[in-house]
Amino acid sequence: MSCVITLKEKGLKLTPQRILIADIIHDAGGHITAGEIIGRVQAKMPGVNKSTIYRTLDILEKAGCVYKSERGNEFVYHHDDEGQRHHLVCRRCGRTMDCDEEIFLPLRRALVKKYDFRVDFKHMVMNGICGECKKESK
């Protein structure tokens, strides 16, 4: 579902800034950093300040249009239409690998069984050391 429709259904205003930010995230076709979003918005709408962009990103996240995660020391966003995506990120080289959804099934079942808690694994980012960097450190 598009962000514009979601925002309308939730009774939120469709400002030009909100539409532009949603379009930028959607058009990125994957993860995009907050800095990249700010640069693209300000290139198209020079008067928009960073605080407006960050507030809009929070609104889009709360509305369920985008997912935000932290990668290193920056926030990255991706559009909800991309579905469930999980990543393994190397702390040393920054390499990012996709992680299959099935790997969480045993954990999901265990959490339901032990705590009667259903986890939303929509977007997980796990940091660690990749195999290549591990080999180099030996």
Side-chain angles (χ1 to χ4, degrees), residues 4-14 18 59 63:
V4 172
I5 294 170
T6 300
L7 292 174
K8 277 184 184 177
E9 287 176 351
K10 294 186 181 272
L12 297 167
K13 290 182 182 179
L14 291 175
R18 289 180 184 176
I59 289 166

Side-chain angles (χ1 to χ4, degrees), residues 80-126:
D80 179 46
D81 287 349
E82 294 172 31
Q84 297 179 353
R85 296 175 56 133
H86 311 294
H87 305 283
L88 306 173
V89 180
C90 181
R91 281 193 297 262
R92 287 195 185 147
C93 70
R95 180 176 171 215
T96 301
M97 298 171 272
D98 288 338
C99 179
D100 293 330
E101 173 72 14
E102 304 87 57
I103 203 152
F104 294 105
L105 292 176
L107 177 58
R108 184 177 301 208
R109 286 187 207 112
L111 291 169
V112 169
K113 184 177 180 179
K114 185 167 184 170
Y115 300 103
D116 192 25
F117 189 81
R118 298 190 193 303
V119 176
D120 177 11
F121 285 121
K122 289 211 174 206
H123 188 228
M124 299 287 298
V125 176
M126 293 162 281

Side-chain angles (χ1 to χ4, degrees), residues 3-135:
C3 287
V4 172
I5 294 170
T6 300
L7 292 174
K8 277 184 184 177
E9 287 176 351
K10 294 186 181 272
L12 297 167
K13 290 182 182 179
L14 291 175
T15 65
Q17 295 89 346
R18 289 180 184 176
I19 293 169
L20 175 61
I21 292 167
D23 287 346
I24 287 169
I25 295 169
H26 184 267
D27 293 344
H31 289 84
I32 183 169
T33 67
E36 291 170 324
I37 294 167
I38 290 167
R40 292 180 190 184
V41 169
Q42 291 178 337
K44 292 187 179 196
M45 289 184 174
V48 179
N49 62 39
K50 288 181 184 181
S51 61
T52 298
I53 297 168
Y54 281 113
R55 275 195 306 275
T56 300
L57 290 170
D58 286 342
I59 289 166
L60 293 174
E61 182 186 13
K62 288 177 184 165
C65 295
V66 300
Y67 293 114
K68 174 176 82 172
S69 59
E70 196 169 348
R71 186 185 305 165
N73 61 351
E74 63 186 350
F75 289 111
V76 293
Y77 296 83
H78 77 91
H79 197 265
D80 179 46
D81 287 349
E82 294 172 31
Q84 297 179 353
R85 296 175 56 133
H86 311 294
H87 305 283
L88 306 173
V89 180
C90 181
R91 281 193 297 262
R92 287 195 185 147
C93 70
R95 180 176 171 215
T96 301
M97 298 171 272
D98 288 338
C99 179
D100 293 330
E101 173 72 14
E102 304 87 57
I103 203 152
F104 294 105
L105 292 176
L107 177 58
R108 184 177 301 208
R109 286 187 207 112
L111 291 169
V112 169
K113 184 177 180 179
K114 185 167 184 170
Y115 300 103
D116 192 25
F117 189 81
R118 298 190 193 303
V119 176
D120 177 11
F121 285 121
K122 289 211 174 206
H123 188 228
M124 299 287 298
V125 176
M126 293 162 281
N127 297 293
I129 305 295
C130 73
E132 291 300 314
C133 288
K134 186 177 173 185
K135 286 177 195 173

